[in-house]
Amino acid sequence: RLSELSPDIFKLSLEELTGLVVAVFEHHKCFDTFSVDKHRFRAYVLQVARLYQSNPYHNFQHAVTVLHFLSNFLDEFSVGSGCSDIQIFSLLFAAVVHDVGHPGVNNAFEVESCSERALQWNDQSVLENYHAYLAFSILEKEDFQWHHALSAPDRRTFRRIVIAVILDTDMAKHGSKL
């Protein structure tokens, strides 16, 4: 059981971390339910992992930790029983990509420095918009297009949920969300 797995995340190699991500999605039957090509999905996750920058917190180990926690939360508290398959798949996916490409600074820094990202996202949830953009732009590259296995309605639902979840990680909105 994944809930019994307590890896020392910082001792795992990139391949092992990627394998753990794939195992979580297997555990939740995402590949079988949606006929997603596991090899393309793994390649996608590996590409995402490579785009996580080496900073002290917002790194790929953090993403895998969030994914692992979410998976256990869904299992242990039966939260998943109240969710559809596409909702679970979307939540798990969002956990993996929610900080992809994070530069190690915050939104205030991006805005105050008039960074390219701040300009692109009009000072609104700058990093969160960037993470969502990056996650979906990678998905459009030919080698990583596993999402076409989803039906058109599931793809729209998937995208809507993933974007909403990532944008909701903006700490400036944290108080109002609680």
Side-chain angles (χ1 to χ4, degrees):
R1 285 182 35 157
L2 284 173
S3 62
E4 295 167 358
L5 181 63
S6 236
D8 183 346
I9 214 79
F10 294 101
K11 290 184 179 176
L12 298 178
S13 69
L14 185 59
E15 282 296 322
E16 291 169 320
L17 289 167
T18 303
L20 182 56
V21 170
V22 171
V24 168
F25 282 81
E26 283 177 330
H27 172 75
H28 290 281
K29 313 260 187 281
C30 296
F31 300 118
D32 295 335
T33 301
F34 297 103
S35 301
V36 167
D37 182 313
K38 192 185 308 182
H39 299 292
R40 276 186 188 255
F41 183 84
R42 184 184 190 89
Y44 173 86
V45 171
L46 193 54
Q47 181 63 21
V48 164
R50 289 181 180 128
L51 292 175
Y52 267 92
Q53 296 185 27
S54 179
N55 61 57
Y57 184 73
H58 297 98
N59 52 47
F60 189 57
Q61 290 91 343
H62 165 68
V64 175
T65 301
V66 170
L67 174 67
H68 190 233
F69 174 84
L70 174 62
S71 176
N72 289 337
F73 184 75
L74 290 170
D75 287 347
E76 296 302 318
F77 299 104
S78 301
V79 174
S81 64
C83 298
S84 69
D85 292 333
I86 195 65
Q87 288 171 326
I88 291 172
F89 188 35
S90 303
L91 288 169
L92 295 171
F93 181 82
V96 175
V97 301
H98 79 279
D99 275 334
V100 64
H102 200 293
V105 297
N106 61 20
N107 284 329
F109 178 87
E110 294 282 345
V111 171
E112 290 300 318
S113 66
C114 295
S115 73
E116 188 67 32
R117 279 186 281 268
L119 294 173
Q120 182 177 18
W121 304 111
N122 298 313
D123 300 343
Q124 302 298 308
S125 300
V126 174
L127 293 172
E128 294 75 21
N129 274 296
Y130 176 64
H131 304 319
Y133 157 76
L134 200 52
F136 283 102
S137 68
I138 298 164
L139 199 50
E140 290 305 320
K141 296 186 191 264
E142 188 174 340
D143 292 343
F144 310 121
Q145 290 183 356
W146 57 262
H147 66 301
H148 293 299
L150 303 175
S151 68
D154 279 347
R155 260 196 321 273
R156 284 190 298 275
T157 300
F158 173 81
R159 181 170 161 77
R160 180 181 48 77
I161 292 170
V162 170
I163 291 170
V165 168
I166 293 171
L167 291 179
D168 283 348
T169 65
D170 184 348
M171 290 309 291
K173 299 177 180 178
H174 187 70
S176 65
K177 291 293 176 184
L178 286 178

